[in-house]
């Protein structure tokens, strides 16, 4: 129940690929929120059912496993690739809170209700969308890391053409 972590729930494999929020189904074993203090958990979901993992019986052996102990490493591997992509283009690594915001911002809608919920969080992790957003930085997309001291405030001026939705994700 840590405060500053990215919590990953487990969903069933999407064999036919993502095709809208109803194509994502929470696994029977994945924990759901809310937290006692009202926070949404999980933050995102990833496949956690029937993943292949190496086993110790030989250097070429694999077995199928299910659990959030499979969805979390799957998401973690993707997070590392997103960090690498960002570093190659920006010559720095994102802070953990920035990476969390990016993953939440680019997640695919999941579940019965639009927006975040206590079963699917902000949705199904979409590594491709995160990479695409990084690739489009400066072309209508912005990732900004800043510090806010106690009792300080920050103000940002944004403009929109009114034709496309303005989406902002803040994480700390």
């Amino acid at each position: 129940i840590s405060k500053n972590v990215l919590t990953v729930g487990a969903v069933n494999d999407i064999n036919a690929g993502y095709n809208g929020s109803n194509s994502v189904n929470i696994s029977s074993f994945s924990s759901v929120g809310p937290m006692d203090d009202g926070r949404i958990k999980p933050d995102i979901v990833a496949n956690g059912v029937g993943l292949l993992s190496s086993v110790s019986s030989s250097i070429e052996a694999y077995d199928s496993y299910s659990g959030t102990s499979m969805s979390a490493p799957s998401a973690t591997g993707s997070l590392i690739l997103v960090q690498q992509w960002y570093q190659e283009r920006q010559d720095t690594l994102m802070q953990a809170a920035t990476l969390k915001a990016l993953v939440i911002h680019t997640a695919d809608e999941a579940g019965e209700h639009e927006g975040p919920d206590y079963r699917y969080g902000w949705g199904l992790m979409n590594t491709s969308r995160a990479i695409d957003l990084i690739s489009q930085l400066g072309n209508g997309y912005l990732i900004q890391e800043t510090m806010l001291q106690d009792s300080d405030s920050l103000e940002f001026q944004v403009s929109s053409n009114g034709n496309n939705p303005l989406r902002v994700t803040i994480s700390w």
Side-chain angles (χ1 to χ4, degrees):
I1 316 175
S2 298
K3 187 173 118 187
N4 296 322
V5 298
L6 180 69
T7 306
V8 182
V11 294
N12 296 312
D13 194 14
I14 306 172
N15 295 320
Y18 180 81
N19 189 22
S21 61
N22 291 330
S23 63
V24 183
N25 296 302
I26 197 82
S27 69
S28 61
F29 53 78
S30 190
S31 296
V32 298
M35 301 304 303
D36 290 342
D37 61 6
R39 285 179 291 146
I40 292 175
K41 292 292 178 187
D43 297 303
I44 58 162
V45 292
N47 183 11
V49 178
L51 278 81
L52 289 179
S53 182
S54 58
V55 292
S56 63
S57 58
S58 85
I59 61 171
E60 298 174 358
Y62 292 89
D63 206 348
S64 177
Y65 293 98
S66 298
T68 53
S69 57
M70 297 306 291
S71 60
S74 173
T76 301
S78 294
L79 291 167
I80 291 168
L81 294 174
V82 170
Q83 271 284 32
Q84 180 180 359
W85 188 259
Y86 185 84
Q87 183 179 31
E88 288 174 2
R89 276 137 194 83
Q90 302 298 317
D91 200 31
T92 188
L93 292 171
M94 283 180 276
Q95 296 175 8
T98 306
L99 183 57
K100 179 179 180 177
L102 176 63
V103 168
I104 287 170
H105 188 84
T106 57
D108 287 328
E109 181 63 42
E112 302 167 11
H113 309 287
E114 190 170 329
D117 62 53
Y118 295 123
R119 292 176 61 86
Y120 297 90
W122 275 265
L124 179 68
M125 184 172 177
N126 186 328
T127 307
S128 180
R129 283 182 63 191
I131 294 293
D132 289 346
L133 190 148
I134 292 168
S135 299
Q136 293 296 317
L137 289 175
N139 296 319
Y141 295 92
L142 171 69
I143 293 177
Q144 185 168 354
E145 296 180 325
T146 188
M147 286 277 255
L148 184 63
Q149 301 299 323
D150 288 343
S151 303
D152 283 351
S153 64
L154 292 174
E155 214 172 282
F156 299 96
Q157 185 173 352
V158 296
S159 58
S160 173
N161 62 12
N163 296 325
N164 298 316
L166 176 63
R167 294 188 59 220
V168 177
T169 303
I170 300 171
S171 181
W172 56 91

